[in-house]
Amino acid sequence: MLTGKRILLVIGGGIAAYKSLELIRRLAQRGAKVRAIVTKAGTEFVTPLSVASLSGDKVYQDLFSLTDEADMGHIQLSRDADLLVVAPATADLMAKMASGRADDLASTALLATDKPVLIAPAMNVRMWLHAATQRNLAQLKADGVTTIGPNDGDMACGEFGPGRMAEPAEILASVEAHFSRSQELKGLHALVTAGPTHEPIDPVRYIANRSSGKQGYAIAGALADLGATTTLVSGPTNLAAPRGVKFVKVETAHQMLAACESALPADVAVCAAAVADWRVDHAANQKIKKGAGGLPALNLVENPDILATLSSRASGRPRLVVGFAAETEKVIEHAKAKRAKKGCDWIVANDVSPETGVMGGDDNTVHIISASTTDTWPKLAKGEVAHRLAAKIAAHLKGARA
Ligand code: CTP
């Protein structure tokens, strides 16, 4: 059942919009509270009156309508939902979402939201297969958007192939799966580290690395999506905090360790940060001047190992500790040795050689290594790696709870 769940349905301008009426009916039957935005093009295919009759609420259409804004501003519209569903998601709506445009009520609400988004694409087969749409799709997936369909079939335009919107029953099942999944880590605390650390040399210079933080942020978001109370301890990045996580920003390895320890107890810790192995012993208090006494010598000392420290805690060790192994050669062999050395339960190994484009890129090919198994996943968007890993963590913790 979906009793009390608030769904904001965005109806785009495609022939499949008629199926969205059936979707509203089914969602309402399951107890969901549906509010709908119909785009201008959408009103060419369904009338706001029929949408309002089925949803039992007024239909939101115009970003600049005084009545709409007075009743329910576009920010409030997306805040007041548990899930946003875009059906049909046209090529144009997907392009707007992927590039962050906000030129009407639908795209503005989608940009303003911090809630999960599910899209059901529907378009002509050539439009679907076009490189631009596939690029937008990859971007949306990397942004954490879930997609359902499109299906293969005869299309209204007379062609055959992928592009038909998923049936209302399939979309409903996907919505229900979303909410049942959301409960899997409820009541549990997840701690995630992400990003690089910056180790100061003097007040203006520091030692850093190429980590973007994308994978760790995606994991924190995926764990929060499954209902975990999630703390993300992050080194400096350009990324926004994922929705629903407690965000703790740090600079150095020492600060990261302190933030992790004060976030304990945790049921699971995922250390995805690229922590600097060394810091400069006694960073200068003032900017080091060029030419004063020759070249400066950096006296490096070892940083604390956060993963090893969390793994070896005598009391309050998270039940599951997951590390990452960023390697450039003999990936599995090195990762296995790293898992044993650090004492974590699983290690997620990946090849970060420059030619893989993993560092800073959107995709990742990983191996999940435990004491007894090595599971190799295909090349996936970092968002998908995160969802799979979160699901694996949930299954493990549930097994351990039972
Ligand atoms: N890690 C950590 N604290 C550190 C160094 C690493 O928590 N000071 C964690 C990382 O978050 C990651 C794992 O240890 O989960 C492995 O990191 P990696 O950089 O691959 O390994 P290192 O221990 O630094 O070994 P090396 O650089 O020699 O490969």
Side-chain angles (χ1 to χ4, degrees), residues 29-46:
Q29 266 175 354
R30 306 289 293 160
K33 170 102 192 65
V34 185
R35 220 172 227 147
I37 295 177
V38 184
T39 65
K40 190 162 183 300
T43 60
E44 302 288 336
F45 296 91
V46 287

Side-chain angles (χ1 to χ4, degrees), residues 45-315:
F45 296 91
V46 287
T47 69
L49 184 61
S50 41
V51 174
S53 315
L54 287 163
S55 69
D57 193 357
K58 69 169 286 190
V59 173
Y60 297 83
Q61 289 173 262
D62 187 0
L63 181 58
F64 299 109
S65 147
L66 284 179
T67 23
D68 284 3
E69 281 291 307
D71 281 359
M72 175 72 62
H74 58 276
I75 305 286
Q76 201 59 30
L77 260 179
S78 45
R79 293 277 152 80
D80 273 2
D82 300 305
L83 173 71
L84 276 72
V85 178
V86 186
T90 58
D92 180 53
L93 257 176
M94 286 177 62
K96 280 185 184 172
M97 289 173 73
S99 58
R101 284 187 64 185
D103 60 0
D104 61 4
L105 180 59
S107 53
T108 307
L110 284 159
L111 189 63
T113 195
D114 60 353
K115 300 296 166 54
V117 180
L118 170 72
I119 63 168
M123 65 198 72
N124 165 273
V125 55
R126 286 171 215 280
M127 289 168 79
W128 173 252
L129 294 175
H130 194 283
T133 303
Q134 291 302 312
R135 203 165 49 233
N136 292 335
L137 176 69
Q139 182 61 55
L140 291 172
K141 285 186 175 174
D143 292 345
V145 169
T146 309
T147 55
I148 166 126
N151 296 340
D152 279 355
D154 289 320
M155 303 186 48
C157 54
E159 293 190 68
F160 180 88
R164 256 169 75 128
M165 187 170 92
E167 294 304 320
E170 293 173 276
I171 302 175
L172 177 72
S174 193
V175 169
E176 293 197 308
H178 166 82
F179 285 112
S180 59
R181 245 197 341 263
S182 308
Q183 301 307 309
E184 279 181 61
L185 288 174
K186 208 177 167 71
L188 301 185
H189 181 212
L191 170 64
V192 179
T193 70
T197 61
H198 286 182
E199 307 296 334
I201 296 171
D202 67 16
V204 298
R205 303 181 178 95
Y206 54 82
I207 299 175
N209 60 64
R210 294 184 195 279
S211 166
S212 64
K214 282 181 190 167
Q215 187 63 82
Y217 277 53
I219 291 167
L223 290 166
D225 279 352
L226 294 193
T229 303
T230 305
T231 306
L232 170 61
V233 179
S234 171
T237 70
N238 293 323
L239 305 174
R243 61 179 173 258
V245 309
K246 178 168 181 238
F247 189 52
V248 184
K249 222 166 171 155
V250 297
E251 287 223 348
T252 66
H254 262 289
Q255 291 167 358
M256 187 172 272
L257 177 60
C260 287
E261 298 211 301
S262 60
L264 292 175
D267 297 278
V268 53
V270 181
C271 293
V275 184
D277 290 322
W278 309 283
R279 69 181 181 281
V280 176
D281 198 15
H282 301 301
N285 288 331
Q286 303 298 333
K287 186 179 172 199
I288 302 170
K289 300 305 281 181
K290 200 161 49 181
L295 294 175
L298 298 182
N299 184 24
L300 299 179
V301 289
E302 202 157 313
N303 264 331
D305 191 309
I306 298 162
L307 176 63
T309 308
L310 292 176
S311 299
S312 65
R313 281 181 72 93
S315 74

